[in-house]
């Protein structure tokens, strides 16, 4: 332990913990009468000060990145979406095209688009199918289907 006086606090504390553990094991075996580490104290560890580096990309470089023809359009669109939404890459890349399509339809429905407009935009043949994907809610979907879907209306008779 005397050699540890010049060492780092973490090293000292690690050795002290080992000595204390060994001493406790020895006491259980009734070997020593006293604890050799009883007068030793743990040392305070000084934390390293890490400089935070600004990781923001300058606006001029972003503009070049988003518009440079040398980068494929797909990557430029992805980078723009990540920048504009502040989303994580997995949040942007996880939805399937099918999920995105139906999320867009749900948004349009919430904005008040008519069932006919949603059906035309989505190219669903029947409003009943549209209602399942658009998440209009069961009551709204049933009402709109009953009012507008000729296929559903004909089969109800």
């Amino acid at each position: 332990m005397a050699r540890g006086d010049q060492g780092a606090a973490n090293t000292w504390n690690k050795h002290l913990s080992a000595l204390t553990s060994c001493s406790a094991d020895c006491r259980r075996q009734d070997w020593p009468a006293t604890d050799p580490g009883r007068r030793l104290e743990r040392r305070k560890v000084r934390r390293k000060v890490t400089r935070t580096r600004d990781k923001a990309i300058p606006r001029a470089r972003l503009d070049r990145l988003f518009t440079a023809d040398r980068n494929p359009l797909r990557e430029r669109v992805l980078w723009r979406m990540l920048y504009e939404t502040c989303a994580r890459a997995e949040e942007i890349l996880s939805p399937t095209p099918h999920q995105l399509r139906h999320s867009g339809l749900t948004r349009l429905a919430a904005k008040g688009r008519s069932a006919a407009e949603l059906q035309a935009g989505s190219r669903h043949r029947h409003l009943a199918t549209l209602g399942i994907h658009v998440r209009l809610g069961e009551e709204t979907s049933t009402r709109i289907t009953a009012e507008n879907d000729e296929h559903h209306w004909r089969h109800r008779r």
Side-chain angles (χ1 to χ4, degrees):
M1 292 305 284
R3 282 191 345 216
D5 284 340
Q6 287 77 22
N10 280 333
T11 304
W12 170 268
N13 292 337
K14 180 177 72 171
H15 288 260
L16 180 58
S17 291
L19 178 62
T20 304
S21 176
C22 179
S23 177
D25 189 46
C26 290
R27 276 194 311 278
R28 281 192 293 276
Q29 307 266 347
D30 290 330
W31 289 347
T34 61
D35 179 6
R38 70 184 183 280
R39 293 189 181 128
L40 301 174
E41 293 181 11
R42 293 184 67 80
R43 295 184 178 166
K44 289 190 177 194
V45 177
R46 284 195 279 172
R47 303 283 178 210
K48 291 181 181 178
V49 178
T50 56
R51 294 186 324 183
T52 57
R53 189 177 62 129
D54 184 14
K55 295 180 182 180
I57 300 171
R59 184 64 197 179
R61 184 171 170 214
L62 286 172
D63 289 338
R64 287 192 308 272
L65 187 68
F66 297 151
T67 58
D69 288 335
R70 71 176 182 272
N71 300 320
L73 178 62
R74 183 175 148 222
E75 273 74 22
R76 293 190 323 239
V77 170
L78 174 64
W79 297 334
R80 171 72 75 169
M81 287 174 58
L82 291 169
Y83 176 74
E84 296 291 339
T85 63
C86 300
R88 292 187 172 112
E90 62 270 9
E91 294 170 332
I92 297 287
L93 297 174
S94 64
T96 64
H98 183 79
Q99 290 170 315
L100 290 172
R101 178 174 176 242
H102 290 293
S103 294
L105 287 170
T106 301
R107 181 181 53 81
L108 290 173
K111 286 185 169 184
R113 294 288 175 98
S114 70
E117 290 174 314
L118 294 174
Q119 186 178 11
S122 66
R123 292 176 298 289
H124 281 96
R125 286 188 180 174
H126 307 290
L127 284 171
T129 310
L130 175 68
I132 293 168
H133 294 291
V134 175
R135 308 280 191 262
L136 296 172
E138 189 175 330
E139 291 177 22
T140 307
S141 178
T142 303
R143 181 180 50 78
I144 290 173
T145 300
E147 292 171 359
N148 299 299
D149 193 349
E150 293 177 23
H151 176 75
H152 185 276
W153 183 75
R154 279 196 307 254
H155 289 286
R156 265 192 356 197
R157 291 183 198 187

